[in-house]
Amino acid sequence: MVRPAGSGWTDGAETKQRARHGDTGTHSRPVSRTLRPERLAPYVLVAPAVLIIVALRLWPLLLGVNFSFTGDGEDNGTAVGWANYLELFEDPLFRGALRNVGLLVLLLPVAVAIPGLLATFIYLRVPGHRVFRSVYFFPAVLSPVIVGAIFNLMLAFDGPLNTVLGTIGIGPIDWLGDPDVAMFTVVGVQIWATFGMALVVFLAGFATLDSALLDAARMDGASLPQIIWHVIIPSLSRTIQFVFVTTMIGMLTSMFGLLYVMTSGGPEGSTYLPEYYIWIQQGQMNRPALASAASTVLFLIMLVVGLLQISVLRRAGRED
């Protein structure tokens, strides 16, 4: 016997069958009530971190921005508008610090390429790769003060590096006393001291790399530079973005120890960075409002540079 679809008999039979199994057809409300806590769970878990960020990061940032529009000394607490910012950009030391930020941006690809290439060699299991992994990370555990003291001895005018250069006919170089060389020297030391962390990040990125792509490239006769350019870089685009941004932030906010120990901002203010300028204004000149203005400018620089880096790298990844 053929039962017509949608007939009352069919609906009644299905209702009786559901009743026998304890299904009354009204189970949607209890299910939605049980799902509601599950939907709230992610927000509850994230809430403590958000509160900590707001309380310890965003709120102090807003207070600092507000404080940057007040005066120092006799005008302490008095609104002065944009006076602190105008004074900043009239100060040759701060303008020099901004030029050095531009230098850091230009040298950033080198700071990222070094750990990237070393991580590639370790991933490809060059002889001794396990030892190299430990050796490369070792500088990252040293204090910047210790690193600066070590390189002060090595890079002294009569130090061992100039002695070695003298044996091959290269005259002594004033690594830390020449205004045209000192900033490059400090940045080089910073790269050496911190590339271990970027190396670890790259190695973590290599863990997600499909080894079949490397095998296919080798079978096609690709050289190592071709494998790096056409396989590794596109596959690790997100890792490279992360390393670019974190390395730039580290250069702008973590070089104070090296600058203080190696050059103290000299010679002739050639190694000033905004971070060091902020410390001078706050700690030595007792000008907290001007230091707050410099901190706000530094934050905006990091924000703009980070967003530009991400957009450029994303565009390059889409083109690949």
Side-chain angles (χ1 to χ4, degrees):
M1 175 179 173
V2 179
R3 302 186 184 110
S7 65
W9 187 91
T10 304
D11 295 340
E14 292 177 354
T15 302
K16 292 178 181 180
Q17 186 176 3
R18 288 198 300 267
R20 283 197 299 269
H21 292 282
D23 186 0
T24 61
T26 61
H27 61 282
S28 58
R29 290 180 181 176
V31 171
S32 63
R33 289 175 182 173
T34 57
L35 287 179
R36 192 170 300 167
E38 296 180 1
R39 293 176 179 175
L40 293 177
Y43 300 99
V44 173
L45 295 174
V46 172
V50 173
L51 292 176
I52 291 174
I53 292 174
V54 171
L56 301 181
R57 294 288 184 177
L58 296 181
W59 181 243
L61 175 63
L62 294 177
L63 290 178
V65 173
N66 180 68
F67 190 61
S68 68
F69 291 99
T70 62
D72 289 313
E74 296 179 356
D75 295 329
N76 186 21
T78 304
V80 295
W82 297 93
N84 288 325
Y85 293 92
L86 295 176
E87 183 177 350
L88 275 182
F89 291 101
E90 292 175 355
D91 189 344
L93 287 177
F94 188 75
R95 292 201 302 268
L98 294 182
R99 285 194 297 269
N100 286 333
V101 170
L103 177 63
L104 294 180
V105 174
L106 294 177
L107 295 177
L108 184 61
V110 178
V112 174
I114 290 175
L117 289 174
L118 294 176
T120 301
F121 296 147
I122 292 175
Y123 177 76
L124 297 177
R125 298 183 180 277
V126 297
H129 64 278
R130 296 184 185 276
V131 177
F132 292 146
R133 182 181 302 180
S134 302
V135 171
Y136 292 151
F137 186 75
F138 176 73
V141 303
L142 297 177
S143 167
V145 175
I146 296 176
V147 173
I150 292 173
F151 277 92
N152 273 350
L153 296 174
M154 294 180 59
L155 300 174
F157 193 76
D158 55 351
L161 181 57
N162 278 333
T163 301
V164 172
L165 293 177
T167 59
I168 58 177
I170 300 178
I173 300 174
D174 196 358
W175 298 100
L176 300 176
D178 187 344
D180 297 327
V181 178
M183 192 62 198
F184 290 95
T185 302
V186 177
V187 173
V189 175
Q190 169 73 7
I191 293 173
W192 177 87
T194 59
F195 78 87
M197 294 301 300
L199 177 72
V200 172
V201 174
F202 273 117
L203 290 176
F206 274 112
T208 65
L209 181 63
D210 188 0
S211 59
L213 296 175
L214 296 177
D215 295 336
R218 291 192 187 101
M219 292 181 63
D220 290 340
S223 62
L224 179 59
Q226 290 174 329
I227 292 175
I228 293 175
W229 185 256
H230 295 289
V231 178
I232 293 178
I233 291 179
S235 300
L236 299 183
S237 60
R238 292 188 179 275
T239 303
I240 294 173
Q241 292 176 20
F242 178 79
V243 174
F244 257 93
V245 174
T246 54
T247 302
M248 188 66 207
I249 293 175
M251 284 184 168
L252 290 175
T253 61
S254 302
M255 288 185 62
F256 174 81
L258 285 180
L259 291 174
Y260 183 81
V261 174
M262 296 184 69
T263 64
S264 297
E268 302 175 11
S270 61
T271 58
Y272 263 70
L273 284 174
E275 181 187 21
Y276 191 81
Y277 182 89
I278 292 168
W279 178 79
I280 291 292
Q281 298 301 324
Q282 171 67 39
Q284 294 189 358
M285 307 300 293
N286 194 25
R287 302 201 59 187
L290 187 64
S292 296
S295 299
T296 303
V297 173
L298 177 59
F299 170 75
L300 293 176
I301 290 173
M302 290 191 296
L303 181 64
V304 171
V305 171
L307 293 177
L308 288 176
Q309 289 172 355
I310 292 175
S311 63
V312 170
L313 291 170
R314 281 180 177 174
R315 190 178 307 167
R318 286 195 297 266
E319 291 175 357
D320 291 336

